[in-house]
Amino acid sequence: MIFDAFSDVNWLAVLVATVAWFAFSAFWYSVPPLSKAWQREARVEMGREDAPPLALLFIPTLIGYFVTSVVIALVSESIGASTAGHAIALGVTLGVGFGMVTALVNQSYEGKGSGYFLINGLNAVIAFSVVALIVTLWN
């Protein structure tokens, strides 16, 4: 059972993976021209006076990244992943299967541009792979 793997999770690795994901995504969404393309496609206007403080956005982001990092660690442990190749395969599989699909569905319903799907989907594939590498190799 997957819940049996909780006792085998390296919680420090999960915390480091969470922070690594946050740092990667902060870079991903802030570097031009990608940041400008994402803002345009997502219809986000930076610097609005009515926007919530960034700290209030960071808290649910970190919680979400932590929960997902735990799940990736559980899957890694449950399937017996132990090499960088296993980790990359896991990260890409989960990134495409969940991250890109979620980005595509959200883009379809929210009417955002196609760049929205690509930018968010590729972020998920790379981030899931980074998390999988950390939690797999650090175990």
Side-chain angles (χ1 to χ4, degrees), residues 22 33-35 41-42 73-74 78 82-84 101 129 135:
F22 188 84
L34 196 58
S35 61
E41 299 291 331
L74 289 170
S78 294
S82 60
T83 67
V101 168
S129 296
V135 300

Side-chain angles (χ1 to χ4, degrees), residues 88-109:
I88 295 295
L90 174 62
V92 170
T93 300
L94 295 176
V96 170
F98 294 106
M100 287 200 85
V101 168
T102 298
L104 176 63
V105 171
N106 288 346
Q107 181 269 329
S108 298
Y109 281 93

Side-chain angles (χ1 to χ4, degrees), residues 123-138:
N123 173 272
V125 172
I126 296 167
F128 283 28
S129 296
V130 168
V131 169
L133 272 169
I134 293 169
V135 300
T136 298
L137 297 181
W138 198 344

Side-chain angles (χ1 to χ4, degrees), residues 26-73:
F27 176 78
W28 180 264
Y29 289 104
S30 66
V31 175
L34 196 58
S35 61
K36 297 295 182 196
W38 178 81
Q39 288 172 29
R40 184 181 62 254
E41 299 291 331
R43 296 181 188 95
V44 170
E45 187 180 325
M46 300 307 283
R48 286 188 358 240
E49 288 184 27
D50 63 335
L54 283 179
L56 291 181
L57 297 174
F58 291 166
I59 293 168
T61 301
L62 282 166
I63 291 169
Y65 288 178
F66 176 77
V67 169
T68 305
S69 295
V70 169
V71 171
I72 293 171

